[in-house]
Amino acid sequence: MSLTSDPSPAAPSAQETPKRPAIPVPATAEAYGISRSSPPLTEEAAAPTSPPDASGAVTAPVAAHLAVTASAQVATQRARDHLLALQADEGWWKGNLETNVTMDAEDLFMKQFLGIRGAEETEQTARWIRSQQQPDGSWATFYGGPADLSTTVEAYIALRLAGDAVDAPHMARAAELVREQGGIAASRVFTRIWLAALGQWSWDDVPVIPPELILAPSWLPLNVYDFACWARQTIVALTIVGSLRPAHDLGFDIDELKVAAPPRKRAPLRSWEGAFERLDKLLHRYERRPIKLLRSLALRRAAEWVVARQEADGCWGGIQPPWVYSVMALHLMGYPLNHPVIAAAFRGMDRYVIRRDTPEGPARQIEACQSPVWDTALAVVALSDAGVPGNHPAMVKAGRWLVDEEVRVAGDWAVRRPELAPGGWAFEFDNDFYPDVDDTAEVVLALRRLLGDGHASVTGAGRAGSHGGAGAFGSRPNTVEDADPALAAAIRAAAARGVDWSVGMRSSNGAWGAFDADNVQMLAMKIPFCDFGEVVDPPSADVTAHLVEMLADLGRSDHPITQRAVQWLLDNQEPGGSWFGRWGVNHVYGTGAVVPALIGAGVPTDHPAITASVRWLLEHQAPEGGWGEDLRSYTDPAWIGRGALTASQTAWALLALLAVDPHSLAVKRGVRWLCETQRPDGTWDEPHFTGTGFPGDFSLNYNLYRLVFPLTALGRYVSLTGVTTP
């Protein structure tokens, strides 16, 4: 995304239904021409395929089909070549991961807190923050999104640190919007924690989580392991900060952002919210006079817990929030800035800086996270679908790097699964404490491509024994085995361990969350402290679908574990026919993951769930042929399946439809849209955020999604319609 990106197209308000032509819902998918028996070449829904006329001329529908497939062939080659050119020498791929400007603001806040903020990096960061301000003076949490109060407060204060004048027009607009939305008092807990730490808010007006929480055994409700891993790491560090109640100097007051808060109505006592509100009052009293020995023990244990989870690159969990809070917490506990733990943290942070050249000068942006393992696995699958063999040098390098990234140590997940042997992969370069089953499933699928296996979800052939050829981790010609037999053996071993670990991480309901098994303590959502998004990691449709796809790819479709997961997916289909997307936006992502997985696992294409999902996708296909869904779909049903068209979301929809019938009109229209919107260099423009961190609260723009998913869809289309890519 450039610093001067145009705003997104106008979109419906919360009270307004998106204005796309209503499409009547037929009784069956066949009414849309979606079936295995449908004609392979159609220009209009009712236009049948006809042979050449007596003169040998090709009919118009056939010519139209050939034009689309020829365009797809060219687009696939361009995208393939562009992706190959992006590979790092070490073998990985990584697109920039864009979030919102709170990451940048909080980087400055941390350095102000520690007394190490420099003028040059402050101004470079401010340039990026200014470039993201919206015309109304606000900042949003995603591209083209509505004003977000907390993000605007943090961005405004960061610009004041950079010296922007209060009466400057852009600052005056921002301050006015903050006041209109309730001022600092109405901002999220994290924003007020930062302001309390910088002397601009009272710790008495911030919810309490005492450090004694670290002493709670894992069987006690609301112990630290009841929280999702990302929340767990953040909360433990913040229990230290909150108990020590620092108030460092911001350097100025921010009274212009404060308005009188209206009296807050308490929740009923007999509700969980009401009970926790009253418990928070008691905890504030305890904070004034904690039990000294117990508090001292808790602080020491919390600090030890934090230090023990620092990764090799100096990070915590590979994500920004626990990273900055851990540094602050440890410094408050007496760790000097030159201590090896703190010094390693600062060195690691430098890897997360994106530097941009702008007309105003260099700009500095902070990545909240990095996704090399995920991106590399997706790239290998995409290139394989585009016809790149497993013995291609780029594929061999990727396989070697992925094998080296395997996690072979136990992490926090072992608290719930102590007997499970380690294995699998994490999302980031360094995050051994927190591998996840979503990455692991995708890596296993990618490694199987290198070995010459792994096409169940493409062809729909997923029943046990349907693959033919060598065994579950066998080899075929033009595979990594030809280039490096030792690497092929290492790939088989790592993939087998990853399968065993990920299968062992299933929850008791037969489905999968991302990082932990049975992380379903919904009571954690009721704590006043936890207003920042998801704090638990329950099973989701998209993660479970990726595990089902992996198991089907292994020929285990008939295994009871797979069938139970398939039933869970069928039971959790949304009423309209889609599936909710936990880690991607939103119903288009969920549906694009689930449909290929179900078909790969042997669910017939005329199953009512598949028919309903196809109907839903076709109802939400734009007249131009693509798909788009706005992040507001997480909080406003009017946005479900609606939004600016994007290449990644169009590809997700196509992956579902290709698994049902690659010759359908809907597929051809979607492929045509991808071909028409492709850039000359082979990728696509996609400023819109299509990745999800916390549904409705925190979103992501994976810069590689715009390339790997369209390439996967185009490659499958080219392959399944009988066209070869040179």
Side-chain angles (χ1 to χ4, degrees):
M1 181 168 61
S2 69
L3 294 178
T4 57
S5 300
D6 292 332
S8 62
S13 66
Q15 295 79 31
E16 177 184 350
T17 301
K19 293 179 172 60
R20 186 173 292 170
I23 301 175
V25 179
T28 66
E30 281 73 10
Y32 279 118
I34 305 291
S35 72
R36 286 293 176 191
S37 60
S38 63
L41 309 174
T42 55
E43 177 57 25
E44 301 298 334
T49 301
S50 57
D53 59 24
S55 66
V58 177
T59 59
V62 174
H65 172 78
L66 294 176
V68 172
T69 52
S71 296
Q73 184 180 18
V74 173
T76 301
Q77 184 175 354
R78 285 178 179 168
R80 180 192 66 191
D81 293 346
H82 188 91
L83 182 57
L84 285 169
L86 296 177
Q87 187 179 30
D89 291 340
E90 297 87 343
W92 47 264
W93 281 268
K94 186 192 81 65
N96 288 340
L97 200 73
E98 298 183 56
T99 52
N100 64 70
V101 298
T102 60
M103 300 296 105
D104 313 285
E106 291 170 10
D107 178 69
L108 296 185
F109 296 168
M110 177 195 68
K111 290 175 177 175
Q112 177 72 17
F113 180 88
L114 298 173
I116 59 173
R117 182 175 59 82
E120 183 177 5
E121 67 180 354
T122 299
E123 179 51 35
Q124 291 180 1
T125 301
R127 288 191 188 109
W128 172 250
I129 293 174
R130 292 186 200 107
S131 75
Q132 301 303 296
Q133 189 175 22
Q134 303 194 118
D136 66 354
S138 72
W139 282 264
T141 61
F142 59 91
Y143 178 84
D148 182 76
L149 172 61
S150 296
T151 305
T152 301
V153 168
E154 294 187 26
Y156 176 93
I157 296 170
L159 293 185
R160 285 211 57 191
L161 282 172
D164 289 25
V166 172
D167 57 357
H170 69 290
M171 298 292 280
R173 289 197 306 272
E176 182 179 6
L177 184 139
V178 168
R179 292 191 296 270
E180 289 173 353
Q181 295 199 3
I184 291 172
S187 65
R188 63 176 182 159
V189 168
F190 275 10
T191 300
R192 286 178 281 135
I193 287 174
W194 277 111
L195 296 182
L198 292 169
Q200 294 296 312
W201 197 253
S202 171
W203 282 106
D204 290 336
D205 294 328
V206 175
V208 171
I209 291 192
E212 286 83 354
L213 182 69
I214 197 68
L215 304 176
S218 60
W219 52 262
L220 189 70
L222 297 180
N223 71 87
V224 296
Y225 299 102
D226 275 351
F227 295 90
C229 68
W230 58 87
R232 181 185 316 144
Q233 298 169 87
T234 300
I235 286 170
V236 172
L238 282 178
T239 64
I240 297 173
V241 177
S243 68
L244 297 177
R245 298 166 72 100
H248 293 196
D249 183 22
L250 180 61
F252 49 83
D253 291 327
I254 50 172
D255 293 340
E256 68 272 20
L257 302 184
K258 297 177 181 178
V259 296
R264 183 176 178 181
K265 185 178 180 181
R266 281 191 174 187
L269 178 59
R270 293 189 177 182
S271 67
W272 281 114
E273 291 85 352
F276 280 123
E277 283 180 5
R278 289 156 178 84
L279 176 60
D280 186 62
K281 294 291 185 183
L282 294 176
L283 288 174
H284 272 288
R285 293 180 183 176
Y286 176 74
E287 285 298 308
R288 298 188 188 105
R289 289 190 175 184
I291 301 172
K292 290 184 178 180
L293 288 177
L294 187 63
R295 175 55 56 92
S296 177
L297 174 64
L299 286 171
R300 186 172 70 252
R301 289 280 179 85
E304 291 169 351
W305 190 97
V306 169
V307 171
R309 281 157 181 77
Q310 187 178 36
E311 295 288 347
D313 68 344
C315 77
W316 278 270
I319 52 178
Q320 188 260 16
W323 201 335
V324 297
Y325 297 133
S326 294
V327 169
M328 293 167 61
L330 294 177
H331 188 55
L332 288 170
M333 289 292 291
Y335 285 63
L337 296 181
N338 62 354
H339 188 281
V341 170
I342 305 296
F346 288 143
R347 287 194 301 272
M349 288 177 181
D350 290 340
R351 292 172 58 183
Y352 283 62
V353 176
I354 301 171
R355 301 189 186 278
R356 303 172 184 270
D357 291 325
T358 75
E360 292 77 25
R364 179 177 178 272
Q365 180 188 3
I366 303 296
E367 288 184 288
C369 188
Q370 293 182 333
S371 53
V373 174
W374 181 245
D375 288 349
T376 301
L378 292 174
V380 168
V381 170
L383 291 170
S384 175
D385 279 317
V388 179
N391 62 351
H392 187 284
M395 302 290 258
V396 174
K397 283 199 302 183
R400 186 173 292 113
W401 185 81
L402 285 170
V403 167
D404 289 343
E405 288 297 305
E406 183 192 6
V407 174
R408 299 296 302 277
V409 297
D412 279 3
W413 55 267
V415 171
R416 297 283 187 253
R417 294 292 182 268
E419 304 301 322
L420 185 61
W425 282 264
F427 185 73
E428 305 87 350
F429 284 110
D430 295 284
N431 194 11
D432 285 356
F433 277 97
Y434 302 103
D436 69 275
V437 298
D438 209 15
D439 276 272
T440 299
E442 195 64 38
V443 170
V444 170
L445 289 167
L447 294 178
R448 285 177 52 74
R449 298 299 186 92
L450 300 180
L451 295 170
D453 295 310
H455 295 275
S457 63
V458 180
T459 64
R463 288 296 182 187
S466 66
H467 296 289
F473 291 107
S475 61
R476 295 188 175 91
N478 298 319
T479 70
V480 70
E481 181 95 43
D482 303 324
D484 189 339
L487 175 59
I491 285 174
R492 292 189 191 96
R497 287 188 294 268
V499 170
D500 290 344
W501 178 79
S502 58
V503 170
M505 287 294 291
R506 68 191 181 282
S507 293
S508 56
N509 63 1
W512 283 266
F515 294 90
D516 285 294
D518 291 316
N519 191 259
V520 293
Q521 180 55 271
M522 296 303 174
L523 200 58
M525 304 287 288
K526 308 296 184 182
I527 299 174
F529 181 89
C530 296
D531 71 343
F532 55 90
E534 292 289 338
V535 295
V536 291
D537 184 18
S540 66
D542 42 313
V543 174
T544 299
H546 292 152
L547 268 293
V548 168
E549 183 180 9
M550 179 193 75
L551 292 171
D553 223 34
L554 291 163
R556 302 182 188 178
S557 296
D558 289 328
H559 194 285
I561 288 175
T562 310
Q563 287 302 302
R564 190 180 181 201
V566 166
Q567 189 58 54
W568 187 91
L569 289 171
L570 295 173
D571 292 343
N572 283 272
Q573 187 174 25
E574 298 294 321
S578 64
W579 277 271
F580 179 82
R582 166 62 183 87
W583 296 99
V585 184
N586 171 354
H587 294 257
V588 176
Y589 180 76
T591 306
V594 172
V595 171
L598 291 178
I599 293 174
V603 175
T605 57
D606 60 355
H607 188 283
I610 302 299
T611 300
S613 66
V614 169
R615 183 184 303 132
W616 185 87
L617 286 169
L618 295 175
E619 288 171 3
H620 294 88
Q621 187 174 24
E624 299 91 331
W627 282 264
E629 185 171 8
D630 194 277
L631 276 149
R632 279 164 279 194
S633 62
Y634 284 112
T635 55
D636 182 356
W639 284 96
I640 292 176
R642 314 287 183 179
L645 306 187
T646 69
S648 60
Q649 291 169 321
T650 296
W652 297 336
L654 283 173
L655 292 176
L657 296 177
L658 283 164
V660 179
D661 182 0
H663 301 290
S664 68
L665 173 63
V667 166
K668 186 170 67 173
R669 292 178 59 220
V671 167
R672 181 188 291 123
W673 186 85
L674 285 178
C675 293
E676 290 174 348
T677 57
Q678 188 181 35
R679 290 169 28 151
D681 64 357
T683 189
W684 284 260
D685 288 319
E686 188 167 290
H688 295 87
F689 288 27
T690 62
T692 306
F694 306 149
D697 289 289
F698 187 75
S699 52
L700 308 158
N701 185 333
Y702 291 84
N703 282 190
L704 212 62
Y705 273 17
R706 66 193 67 176
L707 178 58
V708 291
F709 285 113
L711 177 57
T712 300
L714 290 171
R716 292 186 188 182
Y717 175 78
V718 166
S719 174
L720 293 169
T721 55
V723 182
T724 58
T725 304

